[in-house]
Amino acid sequence: MSARGTFIVIEGLDRSGKSTQAGIIHKKLAERFGDQRVKLIKFPDRTTPIGKMIDSYLRSQSDLDDQAIHLLFSANRWEVASSILSDLQNGITIVCDRYVYSGVAFSASKGLSFDWCVAPDVGLPSPDVVLFLDISPEAAKLRGGYGEERYEKEEMQRRVRENFKQLGKEQKTTKEESWVEIDAGKGLASVTEDVWTAVEKVMGQQAEDVQKLWMHRLKQS
Ligand code: DGP
């Protein structure tokens, strides 16, 4: 068993149930290990100055070039990279609602190249597991609230889903971090069970050192 915390990332389309599942995992882990040993974080973090710019963009109150908003999303992760690292090293498990995979999947769906999208996030703390909550855009659309923000359009979500799947394929090839696809179109209890099974499998199994994400991509270019 590793003494450091486990870094658990939850990803998926809008309305896939990510935030609900992140909350449930956080609660269950806190019950098991204590409140002080588990943290729930979320990207974008809309509370920081960069996060406020992102929030304004997502609510269509401001416009930015696709490249500029992509870099802001990445900077929003880098703002807390060192605190993620020190928490993990101090034995705190982190449950993270969205991470770099959203960064690539959403921006690439606007036509930016995959390699360009990946680059700013290279070197961030690498998750120990990515739980990808997979749902069809049609099913997601039927869930409440869809359509309020900039990216919540069926055609865009379709491209985002394909990009997530491409990222999953690449993760499986490189085996850099473990990628678990979960059918999020099922009922809440069933999704919760699948998510929890995946979490239990990885808890405490990680290497002692937190890896830097996607470094091999940098060396290739
Ligand atoms: P949320 O607060 O989880 O509902 O996410 C807000 C929206 O922003 C959602 O449509 C997904 C999108 N998003 C999240 N992270 C990124 C990112 O890093 N880059 C881009 N382009 N979009 C993102």
Side-chain angles (χ1 to χ4, degrees), residues 14 18 42-44 46 58 70 73 77 97-99 102-103 106-107 110 149 151-152 157:
D14 294 310
K18 281 178 301 31
K42 161 164 186 48
F43 292 111
R46 303 188 193 213
L58 286 172
H70 181 74
F73 272 111
R77 291 184 276 275
D97 180 352
R98 286 198 198 278
Y99 199 48
S102 282
F106 280 82
S107 288
K110 295 192 267 183
E149 283 203 330
Y151 294 152
E152 296 183 348
Q157 299 284 328

Side-chain angles (χ1 to χ4, degrees), residues 169-201:
K169 240 186 251 163
E170 290 177 15
Q171 295 320 131
K172 283 201 172 114
T173 315
T174 62
K175 295 199 169 58
E176 190 178 5
E177 62 267 19
S178 92
W179 180 278
V180 182
E181 191 169 302
I182 288 166
D183 179 359
K186 300 193 291 186
L188 178 64
S190 175
V191 177
T192 303
E193 197 182 320
D194 290 352
V195 165
W196 187 242
T197 302
V199 168
E200 288 212 295
K201 220 181 249 179

Side-chain angles (χ1 to χ4, degrees), residues 11-15 18-19 42-46 54-55 57-58 66 69-74 76-77 97-110 112 121 149-153 156-157 160 164:
E11 283 282 11
L13 294 187
D14 294 310
R15 310 295 164 205
K18 281 178 301 31
S19 303
K42 161 164 186 48
F43 292 111
D45 175 352
R46 303 188 193 213
I54 294 172
D55 181 59
Y57 171 85
L58 286 172
D66 292 340
I69 185 65
H70 181 74
L71 295 174
L72 288 179
F73 272 111
S74 178
N76 188 234
R77 291 184 276 275
D97 180 352
R98 286 198 198 278
Y99 199 48
V100 296
Y101 313 93
S102 282
V104 176
F106 280 82
S107 288
S109 78
K110 295 192 267 183
L112 300 179
D121 286 321
E149 283 203 330
R150 191 183 276 263
Y151 294 152
E152 296 183 348
K153 309 202 169 55
M156 168 122 184
Q157 299 284 328
V160 171
F164 271 128

